[in-house]
């Protein structure tokens, strides 16, 4: 099937279009919707964080509940996120000077303004991946692994993560790159990402896989932010797991094993959520409560003048 088309409509005119690749599987594991080439290599970016967190839990990471959700987060840098990162580090006898993610400001607008009002500056702990990096450091401490080069692809931690990615996607990692936070980025197919998310939500209760999935689903504001779409999606659909990634990637699965992966080809993030809602509906997931996310508003002069929407069939 050809790629899904997303229209940007302003004042009644289609101003721009985005194209999306979509891979959706049903509860039986068979594909129910495939748009575009979903078998070739993809860059899932932060959508792989649940698998990274899983590898860490398997290696002895002693986190539960909100802090485990934060380990798999692309957080918004709200105060509770930063406090959580400090707790993870302190539990391992470390502080934020051990972090090796880049310095940044919070993604959340109000949190960012607060930092600037208080004459703050970009910091590693404010970066959206700092929860993952703190958890990586804590895993190194538990295992007696070095903490100074934990991002290196040859580090025992990164080798364990790679093995977990291969196990759950059912694919060999074909290439390794560098993610925005400096950690290794493992390239697999969108179909493989969907299979991996399905395995997380179908795993037995209490298993490392379910511990990660359940923590994220119980505390979605910790994996993203209070106003973020992932939080709204998981709050609206009980049992849904969603994780976004940079360059407009999304992956999801529900308690019945219906799962999918979404990639906006040009990386246009404004098209991501409408396509994800369309993918959820294609999977048969009740998206009644998601009507407000099926389109994204387009503004002119501060007022809505159009929308970003999936082109009607």
């Amino acid at each position: 099937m050809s790629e899904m088309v997303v229209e940007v409509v302003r004042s009644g005119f289609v101003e721009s279009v985005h194209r999306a690749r979509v891979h959706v599987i049903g509860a039986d594991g068979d594909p129910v919707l495939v748009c575009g080439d979903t078998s070739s290599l993809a860059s899932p970016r932060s959508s792989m964080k649940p698998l990274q967190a899983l590898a860490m839990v398997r290696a002895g990471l002693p986190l539960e509940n909100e802090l485990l959700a934060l380990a798999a987060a692309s957080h918004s840098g709200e105060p509770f996120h930063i406090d959580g990162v400090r707790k993870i580090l302190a539990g391992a006898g470390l502080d934020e000077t051990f972090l090796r993610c880049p310095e940044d400001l919070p993604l959340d607008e109000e949190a960012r303004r607060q930092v600037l009002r208080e004459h703050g500056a970009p910091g590693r702990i404010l970066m959206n991946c700092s929860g993952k990096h703190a958890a990586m450091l804590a895993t190194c401490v538990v295992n007696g692994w070095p903490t100074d080069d934990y991002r290196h692809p040859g580090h025992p931690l990164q080798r364990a993560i790679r093995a977990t990615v291969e196990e759950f996607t059912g694919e060999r990692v074909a290439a390794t790159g560098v993610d925005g936070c400096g950690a290794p980025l493992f390239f697999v197919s969108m179909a493989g990402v969907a299979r991996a998310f399905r395995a997380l939500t179908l795993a037995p209760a209490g298993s490392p896989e379910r511990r990660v999935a359940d923590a994220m689903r119980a505390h979605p504001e910790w994996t993203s932010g209070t106003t973020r779409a992932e939080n709204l999606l998981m709050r609206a659909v009980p049992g849904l797991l969603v994780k976004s990634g940079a360059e407009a990637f999304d992956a999801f699965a529900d308690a019945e094993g219906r799962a999918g992966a979404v990639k906006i080809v040009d990386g246009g993030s404004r098209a991501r959520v409408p396509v994800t809602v369309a993918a959820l509906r294609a999977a048969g997931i009740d998206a009644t409560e998601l009507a407000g996310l099926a389109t994204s508003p387009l503004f002119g002069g501060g007022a809505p003048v159009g929308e970003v929407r999936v082109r009607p069939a």
Side-chain angles (χ1 to χ4, degrees):
M1 183 177 175
S2 60
E3 294 167 340
M4 187 178 289
V5 177
V6 181
E7 299 176 331
V8 180
V9 182
R10 180 182 295 274
S11 303
F13 293 89
V14 176
E15 185 175 44
S16 304
V17 296
H18 300 277
R19 298 188 182 277
R21 296 174 186 164
V22 182
H23 190 95
V24 179
I25 53 180
D28 59 1
D30 292 334
V32 296
L33 177 66
V34 177
C35 300
D37 183 4
T38 61
S39 62
S40 61
L41 289 185
S43 173
R45 302 294 296 271
S46 286
S47 291
M48 298 302 273
K49 282 179 178 173
L51 295 182
Q52 293 173 312
L54 169 58
M56 291 187 272
V57 169
R58 285 175 151 189
L61 178 67
L63 297 180
E64 301 285 349
N65 303 317
E66 295 95 334
L67 295 185
L68 181 52
L70 185 58
S74 300
H75 66 72
S76 291
E78 296 170 74
F80 68 92
H81 294 133
I82 307 310
D83 289 343
V85 176
R86 290 196 171 106
K87 287 179 182 177
I88 294 174
L89 290 168
L94 306 174
D95 60 31
E96 61 192 88
T97 62
F98 286 81
L99 294 170
R100 292 294 178 266
C101 51
E103 295 182 343
D104 206 349
L105 289 168
L107 295 178
D108 180 78
E109 184 175 348
E110 179 52 38
R112 184 168 61 252
R113 288 176 176 174
Q114 180 178 344
V115 169
L116 296 176
R117 279 198 303 267
E118 296 173 357
H119 305 290
R124 298 184 191 276
I125 201 168
L126 301 177
M127 198 262 177
N128 74 89
C129 296
S130 65
K132 178 185 78 174
H133 281 252
M136 286 181 169
L137 286 163
T139 305
C140 290
V141 170
V142 166
N143 288 278
W145 294 334
T147 57
D148 57 341
D149 63 343
Y150 69 90
R151 300 185 308 174
H152 191 279
H155 190 282
L157 170 66
Q158 301 303 336
R159 293 203 306 267
I161 291 173
R162 178 181 179 134
T164 299
V165 169
E166 292 184 335
E167 176 185 349
F168 280 82
T169 60
E171 302 175 0
R172 293 294 301 273
V173 169
T176 301
V178 182
D179 210 337
C181 66
L185 172 64
F186 300 119
F187 289 79
V188 292
S189 74
M190 292 178 62
V193 174
R195 283 192 297 269
F197 269 65
R198 180 174 187 269
L200 292 177
T201 58
L202 289 182
S207 65
E209 300 94 309
R210 276 287 297 277
R211 284 172 57 196
V212 172
D214 289 350
M216 294 178 69
R217 291 184 290 188
H219 308 285
E221 68 281 3
W222 285 78
T223 71
S224 55
T226 54
T227 63
R228 295 262 292 280
E230 302 96 301
N231 180 32
L232 300 177
L233 288 167
M234 286 193 273
R235 290 295 184 195
V237 182
L240 181 65
L241 172 67
V242 181
K243 184 67 191 76
S244 68
E247 296 298 318
F249 200 102
D250 255 356
F252 67 85
D254 77 346
E256 296 183 23
R258 297 174 289 192
V262 165
K263 165 63 181 173
I264 309 304
V265 176
D266 64 6
S269 60
R270 62 183 174 178
R272 177 178 56 85
V273 176
V275 173
T276 296
V277 172
L280 291 170
R281 288 173 170 164
I285 296 173
D286 184 2
T288 304
E289 298 298 323
L290 303 179
L293 296 174
T295 63
S296 297
L298 201 67
F299 294 92
V305 295
E307 63 183 6
V308 181
R309 69 187 184 195
V310 173
R311 177 180 290 174

